[in-house]
Amino acid sequence: MEREIDMKEVSDGRLYGLRDMVKADCGGCAGCSQCCESMGSTIILDPYDVWRLTAGLQVSFEALLQDKLELNLVEGIILPNMKTSGENERCGFLNGEGRCSIHALRPGFCRIFPLGRFYENHSFQYFLQVHECPREPKLKVKVQKWIDTPDLKRNEKFIIDWHYFLKDVTARLGEQNGEQYQKMIDLYILKSFYQEEWEKDRDFYEQFDERLTKAKEILKISG
């Protein structure tokens, strides 16, 4: 989802594509886990994040909700996010040494950090968040290498489709302005994109496209 921000205040003033070089490499974050603390409910998970976690850990979405994830309202839509706990609001996947125990399965927001996404014209580019990570010096790295995600082009299409689908849902909720309608929408999105299991022997993106097409028909969302 989107945050209202002044790009001049939070970035180096540039937008980056996958092949661009950016000063984002934190050198393995040795001895530092600051970005995994004091997160609140900001690490929102998309369906691909949850698919990767449930498949990789071989657990259900409901099992993750018991202690690792939680549900919160985001612009009128109930979505899952990483759960934090303790005085420092630490991510539940941090181990005793302060290292990520699910590094290979980490969500998209964690993969791109300290980069962020700037959405415009039904697409997006990356920007460098200059105040978020204290680790210095940062080294230059190609964006696509830093993100470390298979099938990046397909993943970017998925991110765009999901982002603008949620924007359309938010707009529809604003038009209807009814508690029962919002509850129906929330339950449908949670069930269709998070609770319902994905077929293990089928491509995730194909399954997502099918569910998205069906959701748009049911919720009467064009585009």
Side-chain angles (χ1 to χ4, degrees):
M1 303 303 282
E2 292 180 322
R3 291 186 298 165
E4 295 296 330
I5 57 176
D6 186 340
M7 291 293 290
K8 294 180 181 178
E9 294 182 0
V10 302
S11 76
D12 62 359
R14 293 187 58 192
L15 294 175
Y16 298 89
L18 291 177
R19 297 184 179 181
D20 291 327
M21 301 291 290
V22 60
K23 274 195 171 183
D25 191 334
C26 306
C29 306
C32 180
S33 59
Q34 186 168 320
C35 65
C36 303
E37 300 177 357
S38 303
M39 305 182 312
S41 58
T42 60
I43 310 301
I44 302 165
L45 305 183
D46 61 36
Y48 183 69
D49 294 330
V50 171
W51 171 80
R52 185 154 41 192
L53 283 171
T54 53
L57 298 175
Q58 297 186 343
V59 297
S60 67
F61 176 62
E62 288 72 17
L64 289 173
L65 283 174
Q66 292 180 13
D67 61 346
K68 301 300 185 186
L69 310 181
E70 62 183 0
L71 300 176
N72 276 296
L73 199 63
V74 183
E75 297 182 21
I77 305 171
I78 294 178
L79 296 172
N81 61 263
M82 301 292 265
K83 185 177 182 179
T84 61
S85 61
E87 184 178 349
N88 294 329
E89 293 186 307
R90 288 165 55 91
C91 172
F93 286 107
L94 277 183
N95 62 24
E97 289 72 46
R99 310 301 291 169
C100 177
S101 64
I102 56 160
H103 189 72
L105 309 174
R106 65 198 186 281
F109 278 177
C110 302
R111 286 175 180 270
I112 70 174
F113 186 84
L115 303 181
R117 300 188 188 109
F118 179 78
Y119 292 89
E120 188 177 41
N121 299 325
H122 210 81
S123 184
F124 73 88
Q125 290 177 282
Y126 301 94
F127 67 94
L128 178 63
Q129 302 180 82
V130 294
H131 304 302
E132 295 297 320
C133 174
R135 185 80 177 177
E136 295 292 348
K138 293 185 179 66
L139 305 176
K140 280 194 172 184
V141 62
K142 188 170 288 189
V143 171
Q144 62 184 8
K145 182 179 180 181
W146 180 247
I147 294 173
D148 184 30
T149 298
D151 294 329
L152 255 178
K153 281 298 183 181
R154 297 182 74 196
N155 184 255
E156 285 196 337
K157 178 184 180 301
F158 155 75
I159 290 170
I160 292 168
D161 289 345
W162 180 244
H163 174 83
Y164 285 99
F165 168 70
L166 293 182
K167 281 182 66 70
D168 289 339
V169 170
T170 298
R172 178 55 62 89
L173 288 173
E175 295 170 357
Q176 296 293 325
N177 194 27
E179 185 175 332
Q180 284 299 113
Y181 182 77
Q182 179 169 341
K183 183 177 180 180
M184 183 271 288
I185 293 287
D186 285 336
L187 290 176
Y188 180 83
I189 290 177
L190 276 177
K191 179 180 179 181
S192 297
F193 294 102
Y194 294 101
Q195 293 175 317
E196 187 176 329
E197 290 188 10
W198 302 88
E199 296 178 41
K200 296 179 181 179
D201 57 347
R202 287 190 62 205
D203 178 75
F204 166 81
Y205 298 113
E206 290 181 1
Q207 296 182 71
F208 171 77
D209 287 344
E210 292 173 1
R211 296 189 190 191
L212 183 64
T213 298
K214 183 178 180 180
K216 287 182 176 181
E217 292 175 355
I218 291 176
L219 303 181
K220 295 180 170 56
I221 291 175
S222 60

